[in-house]
Amino acid sequence: AQTVTQSQPEMSVQEAETVTLSCTYDTSESDYYLFWYKQPPSRQMILVIRQEAYKQQNATENRFSVNFQKAAKSFSLKISDSQLGDAAMYFCAYLRAGNNRKLIWGLGTSLAVNP
Amino acid sequence: DSGVTQTPKHLITATGQRVTLRCSPRSGDLSVYWYQQSLDQGLQFLIQYYNGEERAKGNILERFSAQQFPDLHSELNLSSLELGDSALYFCASSTTPTSGNTIYFGEGSWLTVV
């Protein structure tokens, strides 16, 4: 069975600095997708970035980028120029390709941004 | 705005009661998913529908049921409610397997059982 592990329950960063959130996963599949979702205090679940396993290039969305290491089964999220609005719970999620699309979630990392 | 609409946003009800949560997926999305997020258990996958048919089942209790209607909206029915059912219930939707596989979430329905 697939599992997702986020080893950092809490992290903090100074405004305008860079922070990296860690995520590792375990799977025997070769085709899958990885996501980072953000959940602010409003509890809405917001997609931050996604990565297709077959792509070697790391995904980037503005200040958010990932370091995808397929062999190591690692999928870290880098937030550059951190802003106060980035404070949230961040979840890493795995999705197997195909029709049975059950997201497998990590337990989340709570990110605080200090002014 | 993800395009996924959930109602109601908040609901308070008594133990033993039954409630229905409603979800309208993003325009064009055929798949609907239900997730439960409680304070102590994180996100739990409940069930998935694809174009009206149940496609995958997760940790859904027998007291809970769901369906997806021909217009693709979905309802999650929770019955014989217990205090432990208090949680945030998310609906999510996605397009077909050939186009993206990204799952978008609604804002959730807060259920409080008292």
Side-chain angles (χ1 to χ4, degrees), chain B residues 8-73:
Chain B
K9 286 189 169 35
H10 299 273
L11 188 58
I12 301 175
T13 191
T15 54
Q17 295 298 305
R18 171 190 170 93
V19 298
T20 297
L21 309 181
R22 193 179 191 281
C23 171
S24 294
R26 293 190 320 153
S27 177
D29 283 2
L30 299 178
S31 269
V32 169
Y33 312 77
W34 287 98
Y35 286 84
Q36 178 193 56
Q37 186 180 34
S38 53
L39 286 176
D40 58 349
Q41 290 193 1
L43 278 147
Q44 299 289 324
F45 169 73
L46 295 178
I47 198 163
Q48 176 200 359
Y49 282 84
Y50 179 76
N51 203 19
E53 293 186 2
E54 182 183 305
R55 194 55 75 95
K57 216 167 191 177
N59 302 319
I60 188 166
L61 300 172
E62 287 190 8
R63 300 184 286 108
F64 296 180
S65 65
Q67 55 183 328
Q68 185 180 27
F69 295 87
D71 67 352
L72 301 178
H73 92 271

Side-chain angles (χ1 to χ4, degrees), chain A residues 33 35 37 39 42-45 47 50 52 91 95 97-103 105 107, chain B residues 33 35 37 39 43 45 48 55-56 88 90 94-97 100-103 105 107 110:
Chain A
Y33 302 81
F35 303 87
Y37 282 90
Q39 190 175 39
S42 67
R43 302 298 294 272
Q44 185 177 359
M45 197 66 73
L47 176 67
R50 73 165 193 174
E52 292 90 341
F91 292 96
L95 179 67
N99 288 332
N100 180 3
R101 294 198 259 150
K102 178 177 70 172
L103 277 168
W105 298 86
L107 293 180
Chain B
Y33 312 77
Y35 286 84
Q37 186 180 34
L39 286 176
L43 278 147
F45 169 73
Q48 176 200 359
R55 194 55 75 95
L88 180 58
F90 282 109
S94 68
T95 52
T96 63
N101 286 288
T102 294
I103 298 176
F105 284 75
E107 294 187 357
W110 277 100

Side-chain angles (χ1 to χ4, degrees), chain A residues 27-84:
Chain A
T27 183
S28 58
E29 303 284 339
S30 59
D31 191 13
Y32 51 87
Y33 302 81
L34 295 164
F35 303 87
W36 280 97
Y37 282 90
K38 167 186 176 181
Q39 190 175 39
S42 67
R43 302 298 294 272
Q44 185 177 359
M45 197 66 73
I46 302 166
L47 176 67
V48 175
I49 199 166
R50 73 165 193 174
Q51 174 81 43
E52 292 90 341
Y54 63 84
K55 289 187 178 179
Q56 291 186 334
Q57 186 174 7
N58 290 323
T60 299
E61 287 288 340
N62 300 315
R63 299 182 295 107
F64 299 87
S65 61
V66 298
N67 183 6
F68 174 49
Q69 301 290 329
K70 190 172 185 179
K73 297 179 183 175
S74 171
F75 182 60
S76 61
L77 174 69
K78 186 172 82 171
I79 306 174
S80 304
D81 186 24
S82 297
Q83 301 175 0
L84 295 178

